[in-house]
């Protein structure tokens, strides 16, 4: 029933930009905190960005702050991740996640629903 479907990934050169989208269905989107995580090969999944239910508050991992921007459109049930100044180290599978309780957290265990992920590959 609940689906989170990411799109927008692909191959981009270092310094370039991508905009990821996560379309959500099967839940009342505006009641969920949303976040983006990423996982590179051989590494643990890490928090990238999070956004409050209204979109008024955002959070970022230290390694992406200033380069990435998370946003949401509650009318479209979609959360976005604008990624600028991409680095080779940003190469990973990016997944969106939804949390129903509390505020944004960086712990992946706090998120109940997950998308399958979209691959972002940054060439050096």
């Amino acid at each position: 029933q609940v689906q989170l479907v990411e799109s927008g990934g692909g191959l981009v050169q270092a310094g370039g930009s991508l905009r990821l989208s996560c379309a959500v269905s099967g839940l009342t989107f505006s009641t969920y905190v949303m976040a983006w995580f990423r996982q590179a090969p051989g590494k643990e999944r890490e928090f990238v960005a999070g956004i409050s239910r209204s979109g008024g508050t955002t959070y970022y991992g230290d390694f992406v702050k200033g380069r990435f921007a998370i946003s949401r459109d509650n009318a479209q049930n979609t959360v976005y991740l604008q990624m600028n100044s991409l680095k080779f180290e940003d190469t990973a599978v990016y997944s969106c996640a939804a949390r129903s309780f509390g505020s944004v957290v960086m712990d992946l265990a706090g998120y109940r629903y997950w998308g399958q992920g979209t691959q972002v590959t940054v060439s050096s």
Side-chain angles (χ1 to χ4, degrees):
Q1 281 185 279
V2 176
Q3 289 194 359
L4 286 69
V5 181
E6 301 94 339
S7 62
L11 176 65
V12 64
Q13 292 184 342
S17 299
L18 285 173
R19 190 193 195 199
L20 306 183
S21 299
C22 175
V24 179
S25 61
L27 53 77
T28 305
F29 180 72
S30 62
T31 68
Y32 280 76
V33 168
M34 299 298 300
W36 289 92
F37 291 80
R38 70 184 187 185
Q39 187 168 28
K43 296 207 163 190
E44 294 184 352
R45 185 165 292 183
E46 62 184 351
F47 176 84
V48 177
I51 189 166
S52 62
R53 294 170 181 83
S54 67
T57 307
T58 58
Y59 306 83
Y60 298 95
D62 289 341
F63 50 89
V64 299
K65 189 174 182 179
R67 298 188 296 122
F68 293 6
I70 188 171
S71 61
R72 67 190 294 163
D73 186 341
N74 285 351
Q76 298 294 324
N77 287 7
T78 303
V79 62
Y80 304 95
L81 184 68
Q82 178 68 45
M83 304 186 295
N84 300 320
S85 301
L86 283 162
K87 305 174 180 179
F88 175 75
E89 306 95 272
D90 295 320
T91 296
V93 174
Y94 285 72
S95 302
C96 64
R99 168 182 169 86
S100 63
F101 187 84
S103 59
V104 173
V105 297
M106 298 176 67
D107 184 0
L108 59 88
Y111 293 86
R112 186 172 200 157
Y113 300 109
W114 292 81
Q116 295 277 62
T118 185
Q119 177 71 47
V120 172
T121 303
V122 183
S123 60
S124 60

